[in-house]
């Protein structure tokens, strides 16, 4: 295992904190060699609410990942998500006067720099500037313009921003655990990298990542991101609905949801009576499975309808010819595909992480799409034969785009 082929990803979420150690072999294949996973108590909806709890959980996951991999972890690439993320599509151009010239890397980086300056805001940090396409002399559309002759080049980009305070607080938690942050990757960007197929991204696909605290939305078309959005509702809201309806603890509600929950009432073959023996009480509570599933279906239906409204408002609902992909921990809910299909009226599948080896018995589930996706996204941004994965503490947009352009056709 070559040291400079190793990446560490951290997924600091509402429900769990996952640390993965990945090794890229000489063919570029990702092998997961270390895993640490603990319950998360200090993050809510992508915001640090209890720093000490978040740091303790992270340290435990780091220790477990180090123990299982034999690798000492001192730096990592980290997820970032929540409502404080914003995205927009933006374009800019360069002209070379009356003379034509061969487009080179400097031209592309200059164009990206112009975009970065335009979107740079005092309260926001640029997380991603992802190229979508380039247009030469107002006519020819290309993916990688290097080597083409033109007198004008226009680039279209998808830009992802994060509020500065949220960015700083996330970074501080990671560094307080003794880890240097070498880069951030937005949740939906990571999940898309590990779950989506190229054909889906070309046709138009809606990715819905339902985690514990939030639901991330991404729409891709013609191989590129068109829209990213986060809504502040996730699996924990379903747990609270159950707890409130039946007046039981959150832990009992979570257990019921996992053991007996379904996404649609119609899937029930019988109405079981479930018994709960609350801690500190001798009285047994009886709950019908029908009412339990009815509670879950109502909240999931609301989430999907909110997603549909957001995508419709962005004028993209009729662009998802490749269907809907659901990932994140809530995607494990039985019959969730059927519920989503009835709302979006299109094909739906469950997105599990792909294109990796190792720990498949533990990682082949939708809840691990983000930490694996972080590595897969970064794999396409670096040439491991020529460059160490150690990069500057602050994400250098121009440096990252330089590497993206080298392998731009393989990113999305």
């Amino acid at each position: 295992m070559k040291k400079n082929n190793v990446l560490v990803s951290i997924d600091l979420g509402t429900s769990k904190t996952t640390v993965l150690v990945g090794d890229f072999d000489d063919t570029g294949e990702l092998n997961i060699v270390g895993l640490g996973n603990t319950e998360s108590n200090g993050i809510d909806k992508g915001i640090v609410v209890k720093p000490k709890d978040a740091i303790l959980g992270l340290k435990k996951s780091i220790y477990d990942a180090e123990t299982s991999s034999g690798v000492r972890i001192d730096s990592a690439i980290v997820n970032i998500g929540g409502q404080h993320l914003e995205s927009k599509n933006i374009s800019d151009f360069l002209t070379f006067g009356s003379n034509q010239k061969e487009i080179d890397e400097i031209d592309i980086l200059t164009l990206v720099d112009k975009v970065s300056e335009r979107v740079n805001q005092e309260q926001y940090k640029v997380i991603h500037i992802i190229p979508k396409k380039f247009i030469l002399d107002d006519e020819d559309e290309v993916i990688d313009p290097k080597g083409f002759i033109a007198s004008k080049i226009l680039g279209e980009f998808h830009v992802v921003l994060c509020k500065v305070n949220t960015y700083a607080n996330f970074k501080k938690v990671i560094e307080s655990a003794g880890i240097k942050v070498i880069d951030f990757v937005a949740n939906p960007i990571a999940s898309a990298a590990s779950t989506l197929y190229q054909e889906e991204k070309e046709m138009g696909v809606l990715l819905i990542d339902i985690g514990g605290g939030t639901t991330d939305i991404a729409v891709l078309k013609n191989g590129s991101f068109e829209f990213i959005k986060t809504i502040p509702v996730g699996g924990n809201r379903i747990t609270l609905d159950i707890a409130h309806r039946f007046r039981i603890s959150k832990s009992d509600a979570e257990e019921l949801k996992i053991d007996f929950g379904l996404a649609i009432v119609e899937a029930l073959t019988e109405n079981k009576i479930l018994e709960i023996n609350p801690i500190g009480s001798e009285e047994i509570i009886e709950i019908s499975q029908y009412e339990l599933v009815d509670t879950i279906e109502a909240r999931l239906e609301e989430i999907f309808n909110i997603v549909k409204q957001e995508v419709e408002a962005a004028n993209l609902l009729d662009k998802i010819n490749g269907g809907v992909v659901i990932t994140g921990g809530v995607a494990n809910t039985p019959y969730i595909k059927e519920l989503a299909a009835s709302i979006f009226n299109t094909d739906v599948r469950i997105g599990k992480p792909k294109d990796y080896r190792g720990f498949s018995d533990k990682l082949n589930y939708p809840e691990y799409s983000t930490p694996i996706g972080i590595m897969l996204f970064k794999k396409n941004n670096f040439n491991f034969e020529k460059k160490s994965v150690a990069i500057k503490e602050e994400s250098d947009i121009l440096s990252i785009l330089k590497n993206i352009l080298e392998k731009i056709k393989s990113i999305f």
Side-chain angles (χ1 to χ4, degrees):
M1 185 166 58
K2 298 177 182 179
K3 185 176 180 181
N4 65 345
N5 283 12
V6 174
L7 276 180
V8 176
S9 68
I10 295 176
D11 177 10
L12 202 58
T14 300
S15 299
K16 62 178 177 57
T17 297
T18 301
V19 177
L20 296 181
V21 181
D23 171 42
F24 288 93
D25 62 25
D26 292 337
T27 67
E29 292 298 315
L30 172 61
N31 299 286
I32 304 299
V33 297
L35 166 65
N37 200 36
T38 57
E39 183 180 348
S40 181
N41 294 309
I43 307 295
D44 185 31
K45 297 180 176 62
I47 299 173
V48 179
V49 292
K50 297 179 182 178
K52 290 183 179 179
D53 290 344
I55 293 167
L56 285 174
L58 177 55
K59 284 183 175 180
K60 176 62 168 60
S61 290
I62 291 169
Y63 175 80
D64 290 344
E66 288 180 330
T67 302
S68 59
S69 67
V71 175
R72 183 179 178 275
I73 298 172
D74 55 17
S75 62
I77 301 172
V78 185
N79 74 310
I80 194 161
Q83 279 189 295
H84 39 265
L85 284 184
E86 289 192 8
S87 76
K88 58 182 70 178
N89 295 308
I90 191 167
S91 61
D92 213 324
F93 66 91
L94 293 176
T95 57
F96 310 110
S98 58
N99 298 323
Q100 291 190 331
K101 72 179 294 288
E102 181 177 328
I103 306 298
D104 58 25
E105 203 168 71
I106 299 299
D107 298 322
I108 306 305
L109 297 178
T110 301
L111 183 56
V112 171
D113 191 34
K114 286 186 67 178
V115 172
S116 181
E117 289 178 359
R118 283 182 57 188
V119 299
N120 190 28
Q121 304 175 37
E122 185 176 342
Q123 296 182 346
Y124 285 88
K125 174 79 175 176
V126 176
I127 305 298
H128 300 289
I129 298 180
I130 302 175
K132 296 172 61 178
K133 65 181 178 181
F134 297 89
I135 301 175
L136 306 179
D137 293 330
D138 298 322
E139 293 182 356
D140 301 325
E141 291 188 7
V142 298
I143 299 298
D144 184 356
K146 287 187 298 181
F148 284 88
I149 305 297
S151 58
K152 176 183 177 181
I153 177 173
L154 180 143
E156 296 184 2
F157 304 87
H158 192 75
V159 181
V160 181
L161 308 164
C162 178
K163 287 187 178 179
V164 170
N165 289 343
T166 302
Y167 175 93
N169 289 333
F170 242 69
K171 189 167 180 285
K172 185 175 181 180
V173 165
I174 306 297
E175 291 177 340
S176 296
I179 301 299
K180 180 181 179 180
V181 178
I182 57 177
D183 203 6
F184 281 103
V185 177
N187 283 354
I189 302 288
S191 296
S194 68
T195 62
L196 300 182
Y197 293 93
Q198 188 61 35
E199 184 178 358
E200 292 173 324
K201 292 180 279 192
E202 293 292 342
M203 292 177 64
V205 63
L206 167 60
L207 176 68
I208 306 173
D209 184 344
I210 312 177
T214 61
T215 296
D216 293 315
I217 312 165
V219 177
L220 293 89
K221 179 74 174 178
N222 297 323
S224 302
F225 283 93
E226 292 290 340
F227 177 72
I228 288 174
K229 184 82 173 182
T230 298
I231 58 176
V233 184
N236 285 0
R237 183 67 255 182
I238 299 172
T239 302
L240 288 174
D241 289 344
I242 296 168
H244 292 160
R245 179 168 181 174
F246 303 112
R247 298 181 180 180
I248 58 177
S249 69
K250 288 195 292 184
S251 60
D252 286 336
E254 181 72 13
E255 186 175 341
L256 280 177
K257 181 180 74 173
I258 293 173
D259 293 343
F260 301 101
L262 305 175
I264 51 177
V265 171
E266 289 181 0
L268 281 173
T269 56
E270 61 176 311
N271 185 21
K272 296 180 181 178
I273 300 301
L274 312 174
E275 294 185 347
I276 294 293
N277 190 0
I279 296 175
S281 174
E282 297 181 357
E283 183 179 352
I284 293 176
I285 298 176
E286 291 187 345
I287 297 170
S288 80
Q289 191 178 13
Y290 178 93
E291 290 182 324
L292 171 68
V293 174
D294 177 67
T295 306
I296 295 170
E297 180 178 3
R299 183 61 70 178
L300 284 175
E301 189 173 12
E302 180 195 46
I303 290 173
F304 287 138
N305 277 318
I306 292 173
V307 171
K308 186 176 181 179
Q309 291 167 11
E310 293 287 354
V311 176
E312 202 166 23
N315 296 316
L316 292 170
L317 192 61
D318 60 348
K319 303 291 180 61
I320 54 172
N321 301 316
V324 174
V325 177
I326 306 172
T327 193
V330 177
N332 290 309
T333 308
Y335 297 98
I336 194 170
K337 283 196 308 180
E338 289 76 5
L339 177 62
S342 69
I343 292 172
F344 292 99
N345 195 30
T346 188
D347 293 334
V348 179
R349 71 172 180 87
I350 302 301
K352 297 180 181 180
K354 57 183 179 62
D355 298 334
Y356 76 98
R357 294 194 297 262
F359 288 89
S360 59
D361 59 324
K362 296 181 179 179
L363 297 177
N364 190 31
Y365 298 95
E367 56 264 41
Y368 294 104
S369 296
T370 295
I372 292 176
I374 289 170
M375 293 187 179
L376 292 173
F377 177 76
K378 283 303 167 187
K379 166 191 143 181
N380 291 311
N381 295 353
F382 292 86
N383 185 336
F384 285 94
E385 295 177 355
K386 299 179 180 179
K387 187 177 181 69
S388 166
V389 291
I391 61 176
K392 292 190 294 183
E393 179 178 357
E394 295 290 336
S395 298
D396 186 341
I397 296 298
L398 299 186
S399 176
I400 291 175
L401 259 296
K402 180 178 178 179
N403 288 282
I404 288 177
L405 290 167
E406 290 178 2
K407 302 178 74 175
I408 194 166
K409 292 183 179 181
S410 65
I411 298 178
F412 295 108

